[in-house]
Amino acid sequence: MGVSNNITACLNFTALLCTIPVVATGLWFASKQGAECARLARWPVAILGGLLLLVALAGFVGAYWNRQGLLAAYLFAMAALITLLLALIVFAFAVTHGSGAYEVPGRAYREYRLEGFSGWLRGYVANSRRWEGIRACLAASDTCRKLGVESAFIAPEQFYQSHLSPLQSGCCKPPTACGYAYVRPTVWTNPANPAADGDCGAWSNDPRQLCYWCSSCKAGMLGTLRDQWRRANVALVAATVALVVVYIIGCSAFKNAQTEDLFRRYKWSNT
């Protein structure tokens, strides 16, 4: 191999390493969504990461064995996949710009409103058929069940100072504005202000119901999705920046390798 081919092979191996965080992020994202009943773009990140891994591997093989056609295909495919990855990141930032969370006086946890999230995300949970599936999954999961048997919450003040997840805050208890009296984390009685929120009347102490039909539960699901996407975006942005830098340098090395090859052929033809 020529010097430029060596450089190209090293760069493609670096690109191969850069795709690993994308694959890992995609698998983490898919597993988290499966555990928390969400189904928003569950697999695209993992699939895109797998494609990037295969293309980077093909580029390394092409550079190592000096297969110019394979290298050209690698550069074209990698450019397309990086563009898709950038589009996915931009889309994720656009639909997760609003948090929908607000502070509650005297509470360590936050509560959530649908109005605080982007219209696209609200539309995602507004579909009654989709929410029916999510609601059934939540009711069958341990999201609220574990909270209901938590022995650490002996007094109301202990519960009020706990840090609940968005799903636990929105689905496992009634909104604070309703004025329900605390009995246990998932048992509340005698609302002092039942007209304060539209979700007040939707609350039920039945473990199969709780606040799963509440708007706050839908907002809690969106808060969960937003947190997951925000965490995933950190790794995706870092990997994308690295891939773009490696790709640009790789293009230059590929051109140099072609120049070396042409010069070598020219020398052979004149000897």
PDB file of all heavy atoms in Angstrom, residues 197-226:
ATOM      1  N   ASP A 197     -58.133  21.285  38.027  1.00  0.00           N
ATOM      2  CA  ASP A 197     -57.459  20.699  36.867  1.00  0.00           C
ATOM      3  C   ASP A 197     -58.380  19.672  36.229  1.00  0.00           C
ATOM      4  O   ASP A 197     -59.098  18.958  36.938  1.00  0.00           O
ATOM      5  CB  ASP A 197     -56.135  20.034  37.308  1.00  0.00           C
ATOM      6  CG  ASP A 197     -55.235  19.675  36.131  1.00  0.00           C
ATOM      7  OD1 ASP A 197     -55.619  18.789  35.344  1.00  0.00           O
ATOM      8  OD2 ASP A 197     -54.139  20.252  36.016  1.00  0.00           O
ATOM      9  N   GLY A 198     -58.341  19.590  34.912  1.00  0.00           N
ATOM     10  CA  GLY A 198     -59.187  18.630  34.222  1.00  0.00           C
ATOM     11  C   GLY A 198     -58.863  17.186  34.558  1.00  0.00           C
ATOM     12  O   GLY A 198     -59.688  16.285  34.355  1.00  0.00           O
ATOM     13  N   ASP A 199     -57.658  16.932  35.082  1.00  0.00           N
ATOM     14  CA  ASP A 199     -57.257  15.574  35.436  1.00  0.00           C
ATOM     15  C   ASP A 199     -57.748  15.143  36.815  1.00  0.00           C
ATOM     16  O   ASP A 199     -57.630  13.964  37.162  1.00  0.00           O
ATOM     17  CB  ASP A 199     -55.727  15.456  35.411  1.00  0.00           C
ATOM     18  CG  ASP A 199     -55.179  15.481  33.997  1.00  0.00           C
ATOM     19  OD1 ASP A 199     -55.948  15.209  33.060  1.00  0.00           O
ATOM     20  OD2 ASP A 199     -53.972  15.766  33.839  1.00  0.00           O
ATOM     21  N   CYS A 200     -58.279  16.084  37.586  1.00  0.00           N
ATOM     22  CA  CYS A 200     -58.704  15.738  38.954  1.00  0.00           C
ATOM     23  C   CYS A 200     -59.752  14.634  38.942  1.00  0.00           C
ATOM     24  O   CYS A 200     -59.706  13.687  39.742  1.00  0.00           O
ATOM     25  CB  CYS A 200     -59.246  16.972  39.672  1.00  0.00           C
ATOM     26  SG  CYS A 200     -58.022  18.295  39.900  1.00  0.00           S
ATOM     27  N   GLY A 201     -60.709  14.744  38.026  1.00  0.00           N
ATOM     28  CA  GLY A 201     -61.765  13.744  37.968  1.00  0.00           C
ATOM     29  C   GLY A 201     -61.337  12.458  37.310  1.00  0.00           C
ATOM     30  O   GLY A 201     -62.034  11.438  37.409  1.00  0.00           O
ATOM     31  N   ALA A 202     -60.187  12.468  36.627  1.00  0.00           N
ATOM     32  CA  ALA A 202     -59.705  11.261  35.951  1.00  0.00           C
ATOM     33  C   ALA A 202     -58.919  10.357  36.888  1.00  0.00           C
ATOM     34  O   ALA A 202     -58.675   9.195  36.552  1.00  0.00           O
ATOM     35  CB  ALA A 202     -58.834  11.641  34.757  1.00  0.00           C
ATOM     36  N   TRP A 203     -58.534  10.865  38.051  1.00  0.00           N
ATOM     37  CA  TRP A 203     -57.744  10.056  38.988  1.00  0.00           C
ATOM     38  C   TRP A 203     -58.581   8.943  39.586  1.00  0.00           C
ATOM     39  O   TRP A 203     -59.746   9.113  39.916  1.00  0.00           O
ATOM     40  CB  TRP A 203     -57.171  10.918  40.109  1.00  0.00           C
ATOM     41  CG  TRP A 203     -56.588  10.076  41.225  1.00  0.00           C
ATOM     42  CD1 TRP A 203     -57.164   9.800  42.423  1.00  0.00           C
ATOM     43  CD2 TRP A 203     -55.348   9.375  41.187  1.00  0.00           C
ATOM     44  NE1 TRP A 203     -56.357   8.966  43.158  1.00  0.00           N
ATOM     45  CE2 TRP A 203     -55.225   8.684  42.408  1.00  0.00           C
ATOM     46  CE3 TRP A 203     -54.324   9.246  40.250  1.00  0.00           C
ATOM     47  CZ2 TRP A 203     -54.119   7.899  42.728  1.00  0.00           C
ATOM     48  CZ3 TRP A 203     -53.219   8.455  40.553  1.00  0.00           C
ATOM     49  CH2 TRP A 203     -53.132   7.804  41.780  1.00  0.00           C
ATOM     50  N   SER A 204     -57.963   7.773  39.774  1.00  0.00           N
ATOM     51  CA  SER A 204     -58.598   6.633  40.424  1.00  0.00           C
ATOM     52  C   SER A 204     -57.559   5.897  41.255  1.00  0.00           C
ATOM     53  O   SER A 204     -56.401   5.758  40.840  1.00  0.00           O
ATOM     54  CB  SER A 204     -59.198   5.670  39.392  1.00  0.00           C
ATOM     55  OG  SER A 204     -59.641   4.474  40.019  1.00  0.00           O
ATOM     56  N   ASN A 205     -57.966   5.433  42.433  1.00  0.00           N
ATOM     57  CA  ASN A 205     -57.066   4.647  43.270  1.00  0.00           C
ATOM     58  C   ASN A 205     -56.935   3.205  42.781  1.00  0.00           C
ATOM     59  O   ASN A 205     -56.139   2.441  43.334  1.00  0.00           O
ATOM     60  CB  ASN A 205     -57.551   4.648  44.729  1.00  0.00           C
ATOM     61  CG  ASN A 205     -57.308   5.986  45.412  1.00  0.00           C
ATOM     62  OD1 ASN A 205     -56.304   6.653  45.165  1.00  0.00           O
ATOM     63  ND2 ASN A 205     -58.238   6.393  46.276  1.00  0.00           N
ATOM     64  N   ASP A 206     -57.710   2.835  41.773  1.00  0.00           N
ATOM     65  CA  ASP A 206     -57.599   1.510  41.181  1.00  0.00           C
ATOM     66  C   ASP A 206     -56.233   1.398  40.495  1.00  0.00           C
ATOM     67  O   ASP A 206     -55.918   2.190  39.612  1.00  0.00           O
ATOM     68  CB  ASP A 206     -58.713   1.310  40.151  1.00  0.00           C
ATOM     69  CG  ASP A 206     -58.724  -0.084  39.558  1.00  0.00           C
ATOM     70  OD1 ASP A 206     -57.711  -0.812  39.672  1.00  0.00           O
ATOM     71  OD2 ASP A 206     -59.758  -0.465  38.963  1.00  0.00           O
ATOM     72  N   PRO A 207     -55.400   0.427  40.902  1.00  0.00           N
ATOM     73  CA  PRO A 207     -54.062   0.305  40.312  1.00  0.00           C
ATOM     74  C   PRO A 207     -54.073   0.142  38.791  1.00  0.00           C
ATOM     75  O   PRO A 207     -53.088   0.427  38.131  1.00  0.00           O
ATOM     76  CB  PRO A 207     -53.482  -0.944  40.986  1.00  0.00           C
ATOM     77  CG  PRO A 207     -54.267  -1.100  42.253  1.00  0.00           C
ATOM     78  CD  PRO A 207     -55.648  -0.587  41.947  1.00  0.00           C
ATOM     79  N   ARG A 208     -55.202  -0.314  38.262  1.00  0.00           N
ATOM     80  CA  ARG A 208     -55.298  -0.484  36.812  1.00  0.00           C
ATOM     81  C   ARG A 208     -55.656   0.823  36.100  1.00  0.00           C
ATOM     82  O   ARG A 208     -55.569   0.904  34.870  1.00  0.00           O
ATOM     83  CB  ARG A 208     -56.338  -1.552  36.472  1.00  0.00           C
ATOM     84  CG  ARG A 208     -55.979  -2.944  36.992  1.00  0.00           C
ATOM     85  CD  ARG A 208     -57.176  -3.871  36.888  1.00  0.00           C
ATOM     86  NE  ARG A 208     -58.302  -3.395  37.701  1.00  0.00           N
ATOM     87  CZ  ARG A 208     -59.475  -4.013  37.796  1.00  0.00           C
ATOM     88  NH1 ARG A 208     -59.696  -5.129  37.110  1.00  0.00           N
ATOM     89  NH2 ARG A 208     -60.431  -3.523  38.562  1.00  0.00           N
ATOM     90  N   GLN A 209     -56.051   1.837  36.881  1.00  0.00           N
ATOM     91  CA  GLN A 209     -56.478   3.109  36.291  1.00  0.00           C
ATOM     92  C   GLN A 209     -55.534   4.254  36.654  1.00  0.00           C
ATOM     93  O   GLN A 209     -54.976   4.911  35.774  1.00  0.00           O
ATOM     94  CB  GLN A 209     -57.905   3.443  36.761  1.00  0.00           C
ATOM     95  CG  GLN A 209     -58.938   2.409  36.365  1.00  0.00           C
ATOM     96  CD  GLN A 209     -59.137   2.367  34.862  1.00  0.00           C
ATOM     97  OE1 GLN A 209     -59.039   3.385  34.187  1.00  0.00           O
ATOM     98  NE2 GLN A 209     -59.428   1.188  34.338  1.00  0.00           N
ATOM     99  N   LEU A 210     -55.385   4.502  37.981  1.00  0.00           N
ATOM    100  CA  LEU A 210     -54.569   5.609  38.472  1.00  0.00           C
ATOM    101  C   LEU A 210     -54.816   6.859  37.628  1.00  0.00           C
ATOM    102  O   LEU A 210     -55.962   7.268  37.476  1.00  0.00           O
ATOM    103  CB  LEU A 210     -53.093   5.213  38.489  1.00  0.00           C
ATOM    104  CG  LEU A 210     -52.740   4.016  39.408  1.00  0.00           C
ATOM    105  CD1 LEU A 210     -51.249   3.706  39.356  1.00  0.00           C
ATOM    106  CD2 LEU A 210     -53.174   4.258  40.847  1.00  0.00           C
ATOM    107  N   CYS A 211     -53.759   7.438  37.038  1.00  0.00           N
ATOM    108  CA  CYS A 211     -53.961   8.629  36.210  1.00  0.00           C
ATOM    109  C   CYS A 211     -53.565   8.351  34.755  1.00  0.00           C
ATOM    110  O   CYS A 211     -53.137   9.249  34.030  1.00  0.00           O
ATOM    111  CB  CYS A 211     -53.137   9.806  36.752  1.00  0.00           C
ATOM    112  SG  CYS A 211     -54.011  11.408  36.656  1.00  0.00           S
ATOM    113  N   TYR A 212     -53.725   7.096  34.336  1.00  0.00           N
ATOM    114  CA  TYR A 212     -53.302   6.714  32.993  1.00  0.00           C
ATOM    115  C   TYR A 212     -54.092   7.396  31.880  1.00  0.00           C
ATOM    116  O   TYR A 212     -53.632   7.460  30.744  1.00  0.00           O
ATOM    117  CB  TYR A 212     -53.380   5.196  32.823  1.00  0.00           C
ATOM    118  CG  TYR A 212     -52.438   4.430  33.725  1.00  0.00           C
ATOM    119  CD1 TYR A 212     -52.865   3.319  34.446  1.00  0.00           C
ATOM    120  CD2 TYR A 212     -51.107   4.826  33.868  1.00  0.00           C
ATOM    121  CE1 TYR A 212     -52.003   2.615  35.271  1.00  0.00           C
ATOM    122  CE2 TYR A 212     -50.238   4.137  34.698  1.00  0.00           C
ATOM    123  CZ  TYR A 212     -50.696   3.028  35.396  1.00  0.00           C
ATOM    124  OH  TYR A 212     -49.839   2.336  36.213  1.00  0.00           O
ATOM    125  N   TRP A 213     -55.291   7.878  32.199  1.00  0.00           N
ATOM    126  CA  TRP A 213     -56.076   8.607  31.202  1.00  0.00           C
ATOM    127  C   TRP A 213     -55.909  10.121  31.342  1.00  0.00           C
ATOM    128  O   TRP A 213     -56.563  10.893  30.652  1.00  0.00           O
ATOM    129  CB  TRP A 213     -57.557   8.243  31.303  1.00  0.00           C
ATOM    130  CG  TRP A 213     -57.862   6.878  30.768  1.00  0.00           C
ATOM    131  CD1 TRP A 213     -58.250   5.776  31.463  1.00  0.00           C
ATOM    132  CD2 TRP A 213     -57.800   6.462  29.402  1.00  0.00           C
ATOM    133  NE1 TRP A 213     -58.437   4.698  30.635  1.00  0.00           N
ATOM    134  CE2 TRP A 213     -58.168   5.093  29.350  1.00  0.00           C
ATOM    135  CE3 TRP A 213     -57.474   7.102  28.208  1.00  0.00           C
ATOM    136  CZ2 TRP A 213     -58.215   4.365  28.170  1.00  0.00           C
ATOM    137  CZ3 TRP A 213     -57.508   6.379  27.026  1.00  0.00           C
ATOM    138  CH2 TRP A 213     -57.877   5.026  27.006  1.00  0.00           C
ATOM    139  N   CYS A 214     -55.039  10.537  32.250  1.00  0.00           N
ATOM    140  CA  CYS A 214     -54.831  11.970  32.495  1.00  0.00           C
ATOM    141  C   CYS A 214     -53.932  12.586  31.424  1.00  0.00           C
ATOM    142  O   CYS A 214     -53.041  11.931  30.880  1.00  0.00           O
ATOM    143  CB  CYS A 214     -54.176  12.189  33.854  1.00  0.00           C
ATOM    144  SG  CYS A 214     -55.157  11.635  35.268  1.00  0.00           S
ATOM    145  N   SER A 215     -54.159  13.869  31.171  1.00  0.00           N
ATOM    146  CA  SER A 215     -53.254  14.603  30.285  1.00  0.00           C
ATOM    147  C   SER A 215     -51.859  14.682  30.885  1.00  0.00           C
ATOM    148  O   SER A 215     -50.857  14.699  30.161  1.00  0.00           O
ATOM    149  CB  SER A 215     -53.791  16.012  30.031  1.00  0.00           C
ATOM    150  OG  SER A 215     -55.001  15.974  29.305  1.00  0.00           O
ATOM    151  N   SER A 216     -51.801  14.708  32.216  1.00  0.00           N
ATOM    152  CA  SER A 216     -50.498  14.774  32.876  1.00  0.00           C
ATOM    153  C   SER A 216     -49.683  13.513  32.623  1.00  0.00           C
ATOM    154  O   SER A 216     -48.450  13.556  32.566  1.00  0.00           O
ATOM    155  CB  SER A 216     -50.669  14.979  34.385  1.00  0.00           C
ATOM    156  OG  SER A 216     -51.342  13.874  34.971  1.00  0.00           O
ATOM    157  N   CYS A 217     -50.361  12.371  32.454  1.00  0.00           N
ATOM    158  CA  CYS A 217     -49.653  11.131  32.163  1.00  0.00           C
ATOM    159  C   CYS A 217     -49.071  11.184  30.746  1.00  0.00           C
ATOM    160  O   CYS A 217     -47.936  10.771  30.509  1.00  0.00           O
ATOM    161  CB  CYS A 217     -50.599   9.939  32.311  1.00  0.00           C
ATOM    162  SG  CYS A 217     -49.783   8.324  32.208  1.00  0.00           S
ATOM    163  N   LYS A 218     -49.867  11.694  29.813  1.00  0.00           N
ATOM    164  CA  LYS A 218     -49.354  11.864  28.450  1.00  0.00           C
ATOM    165  C   LYS A 218     -48.169  12.830  28.456  1.00  0.00           C
ATOM    166  O   LYS A 218     -47.172  12.601  27.761  1.00  0.00           O
ATOM    167  CB  LYS A 218     -50.455  12.388  27.533  1.00  0.00           C
ATOM    168  CG  LYS A 218     -51.628  11.422  27.363  1.00  0.00           C
ATOM    169  CD  LYS A 218     -52.715  12.040  26.491  1.00  0.00           C
ATOM    170  CE  LYS A 218     -53.895  11.083  26.345  1.00  0.00           C
ATOM    171  NZ  LYS A 218     -54.973  11.660  25.513  1.00  0.00           N
ATOM    172  N   ALA A 219     -48.277  13.888  29.242  1.00  0.00           N
ATOM    173  CA  ALA A 219     -47.177  14.847  29.332  1.00  0.00           C
ATOM    174  C   ALA A 219     -45.949  14.199  29.968  1.00  0.00           C
ATOM    175  O   ALA A 219     -44.814  14.469  29.569  1.00  0.00           O
ATOM    176  CB  ALA A 219     -47.612  16.068  30.141  1.00  0.00           C
ATOM    177  N   GLY A 220     -46.172  13.333  30.960  1.00  0.00           N
ATOM    178  CA  GLY A 220     -45.057  12.607  31.576  1.00  0.00           C
ATOM    179  C   GLY A 220     -44.365  11.696  30.584  1.00  0.00           C
ATOM    180  O   GLY A 220     -43.137  11.563  30.588  1.00  0.00           O
ATOM    181  N   MET A 221     -45.150  11.065  29.704  1.00  0.00           N
ATOM    182  CA  MET A 221     -44.557  10.236  28.661  1.00  0.00           C
ATOM    183  C   MET A 221     -43.709  11.088  27.711  1.00  0.00           C
ATOM    184  O   MET A 221     -42.598  10.705  27.334  1.00  0.00           O
ATOM    185  CB  MET A 221     -45.662   9.516  27.880  1.00  0.00           C
ATOM    186  CG  MET A 221     -45.170   8.758  26.648  1.00  0.00           C
ATOM    187  SD  MET A 221     -43.903   7.518  27.023  1.00  0.00           S
ATOM    188  CE  MET A 221     -44.903   6.287  27.872  1.00  0.00           C
ATOM    189  N   LEU A 222     -44.214  12.269  27.345  1.00  0.00           N
ATOM    190  CA  LEU A 222     -43.450  13.153  26.470  1.00  0.00           C
ATOM    191  C   LEU A 222     -42.189  13.659  27.175  1.00  0.00           C
ATOM    192  O   LEU A 222     -41.148  13.828  26.538  1.00  0.00           O
ATOM    193  CB  LEU A 222     -44.313  14.330  26.018  1.00  0.00           C
ATOM    194  CG  LEU A 222     -45.506  13.975  25.135  1.00  0.00           C
ATOM    195  CD1 LEU A 222     -46.170  15.244  24.598  1.00  0.00           C
ATOM    196  CD2 LEU A 222     -45.093  13.086  23.984  1.00  0.00           C
ATOM    197  N   GLY A 223     -42.294  13.905  28.487  1.00  0.00           N
ATOM    198  CA  GLY A 223     -41.115  14.302  29.247  1.00  0.00           C
ATOM    199  C   GLY A 223     -40.055  13.203  29.240  1.00  0.00           C
ATOM    200  O   GLY A 223     -38.857  13.471  29.140  1.00  0.00           O
ATOM    201  N   THR A 224     -40.522  11.953  29.324  1.00  0.00           N
ATOM    202  CA  THR A 224     -39.600  10.815  29.269  1.00  0.00           C
ATOM    203  C   THR A 224     -38.937  10.725  27.900  1.00  0.00           C
ATOM    204  O   THR A 224     -37.721  10.545  27.790  1.00  0.00           O
ATOM    205  CB  THR A 224     -40.361   9.506  29.564  1.00  0.00           C
ATOM    206  OG1 THR A 224     -40.911   9.568  30.880  1.00  0.00           O
ATOM    207  CG2 THR A 224     -39.432   8.305  29.470  1.00  0.00           C
ATOM    208  N   LEU A 225     -39.748  10.856  26.844  1.00  0.00           N
ATOM    209  CA  LEU A 225     -39.201  10.816  25.481  1.00  0.00           C
ATOM    210  C   LEU A 225     -38.185  11.933  25.268  1.00  0.00           C
ATOM    211  O   LEU A 225     -37.127  11.725  24.665  1.00  0.00           O
ATOM    212  CB  LEU A 225     -40.325  10.937  24.463  1.00  0.00           C
ATOM    213  CG  LEU A 225     -41.239   9.726  24.300  1.00  0.00           C
ATOM    214  CD1 LEU A 225     -42.426  10.078  23.406  1.00  0.00           C
ATOM    215  CD2 LEU A 225     -40.473   8.551  23.709  1.00  0.00           C
ATOM    216  N   ARG A 226     -38.537  13.120  25.764  1.00  0.00           N
ATOM    217  CA  ARG A 226     -37.634  14.257  25.593  1.00  0.00           C
ATOM    218  C   ARG A 226     -36.307  14.000  26.299  1.00  0.00           C
ATOM    219  O   ARG A 226     -35.234  14.263  25.735  1.00  0.00           O
ATOM    220  CB  ARG A 226     -38.279  15.522  26.149  1.00  0.00           C
ATOM    221  CG  ARG A 226     -37.417  16.765  26.016  1.00  0.00           C
ATOM    222  CD  ARG A 226     -38.073  17.967  26.677  1.00  0.00           C
ATOM    223  NE  ARG A 226     -37.278  19.156  26.499  1.00  0.00           N
ATOM    224  CZ  ARG A 226     -36.240  19.510  27.281  1.00  0.00           C
ATOM    225  NH1 ARG A 226     -35.893  18.733  28.298  1.00  0.00           N
ATOM    226  NH2 ARG A 226     -35.564  20.620  27.041  1.00  0.00           N
TER     227      ARG A 226
END
